[in-house]
Amino acid sequence: MKLNDIRDNEGARKGRMRVGRGIGSGKGKTAGRGQKGQKSRSGVAIKGFEGGQMPLHMRLPKRGFNNPFGKDYAEVNVGMVQKLVDAKKLDAKKVIDHEALQAAGLARGGKDGVRLLGKGELTAKLTFNVAGASKGAVAAVEKAGGKVDLIDPGKPEHEKKAERREANKAKKAG
């Protein structure tokens, strides 16, 4: 058997029905759309329309919340960092930051930086420069003799808003 000999079984792929091609085809004249009405016309797509009754997708309750101020961090475990150091894909003498982790193929995505998590063992003395780190990750790095520097992301949005509110009150009063 050769690749160019491979074929589907007979009847496995059915041909497309050609509508509106004469009375003898069985789908001529109105092409299976019936007489008159909205659905017999072209350009009509009424998916989800229930004759004026509130459609099902609008009757069901909405769930969840999409936080507009939520941060997108690439999550990296210290155990995986240790594996890359052992495999010589990361240089233990240099500062490990988002770019270094991306180059090693560990931090995918994370437009707001890297968050270090404490899963796994860390034996190498490393210096991290990341956007965030869990308490367990910081403890693991410091136990191995390294340190974690956090990039200051600035104040959270709700604190900025509160400060603006206070400033506006002071402006009106003074």
Side-chain angles (χ1 to χ4, degrees), residues 133-170:
S134 67
K135 288 178 186 172
V138 172
V141 171
E142 287 173 353
K143 181 181 165 196
K147 73 173 193 174
V148 177
D149 294 324
L150 296 180
I151 302 165
D152 183 32
K155 292 179 184 166
E157 195 64 33
H158 68 275
E159 286 182 19
K160 290 181 193 172
K161 204 172 185 181
E163 283 181 11
R164 284 195 298 266
R165 200 179 307 121
E166 294 299 321
N168 287 338
K169 276 185 187 175

Side-chain angles (χ1 to χ4, degrees), residues 43-103:
V44 174
I46 46 176
K47 290 176 180 68
F49 183 71
E50 298 183 17
Q53 172 178 295
M54 186 61 65
L56 180 67
H57 64 89
M58 293 172 76
R59 277 178 284 170
L60 294 175
K62 306 296 175 272
R63 294 275 309 194
F65 171 71
N66 188 16
N67 185 2
F69 304 111
K71 300 293 181 207
D72 175 33
Y73 294 120
E75 294 167 351
V76 175
N77 285 303
V78 291
M80 291 302 293
V81 173
Q82 182 61 49
K83 275 186 183 176
L84 289 180
V85 169
D86 293 342
K88 305 226 184 321
K89 289 188 178 180
L90 274 176
D91 188 7
K93 292 171 186 70
K94 291 184 180 172
V95 174
I96 295 172
D97 58 357
H98 194 181
E99 286 76 36
L101 291 167
Q102 271 185 330

